Amino acid sequence: MFLYRKLRPIREQQLCAARGEEIYCCAIRSRAENALCSFFFIIGMVWEGGHMELKSVTDRDKEFVMGLDQHVDDRGYANRVYTKSGYVIWEGNRRVGVLSHCILWDKVPFMNFLFVDEEYRRKGLAGQAVLSWENEMKNQGYQMVLISTQADEGAQHLYRKLGYIDCGGLVFHNTPFDQPLELFFRKVL
């Protein structure tokens, strides 16, 4: 089901696409400037459960989060609750994903985990969650954020679509953390 939202200028195209919205372009001629201006009609996807919300984790979310994130133990989870560095992605009244971050060098938020349940993928929820997280970090006064993903994972395409720029990688071959290349991305807020 589709819902007409509103007419938006070209500079917002990227943000709208990240939210899973379809974009229709039209051109109009401005009488005042006699110039061709592009605008995008944004059509938002609406699904049964409602809208995505990103909420800080609480003790009530522990079983759900630890069921999805094998990297966190009891102490790490308690730290996420205390520091508000972990989030649950809600779609309507259902928990559908997890996002967590840490702060590098006391200056740069680094999203170190993002997971959306298989059933809720390809609906724009991950992109919406990242944008909500970015907004939260900006509201806290941070000027830039970092994200990473393995080179063999598809998340890199989402991050680039959201405006992230490749900024390096780490190789963990022949270490206790052996894995494919870890790609890093940055975005100025």
Side-chain angles (χ1 to χ4, degrees), residues 104-105 108-111 133 144-148 167 185-186:
L104 299 178
W105 312 295
V108 182
F110 170 62
M111 185 192 314
W133 173 73
M144 186 176 80
V145 292
L146 294 173
I147 292 180
S148 75
C167 65
F185 302 87
R186 66 176 169 82

Side-chain angles (χ1 to χ4, degrees), residues 125-136:
L125 295 171
Q128 289 177 22
V130 172
L131 292 173
S132 292
W133 173 73
E134 289 173 8
N135 190 48
E136 175 66 24

Side-chain angles (χ1 to χ4, degrees), residues 87-100:
Y87 303 89
V88 172
I89 302 166
W90 290 79
E91 198 273 333
N93 61 358
R94 290 197 68 178
R95 294 176 182 102
V96 299
V98 177
L99 183 153
S100 64

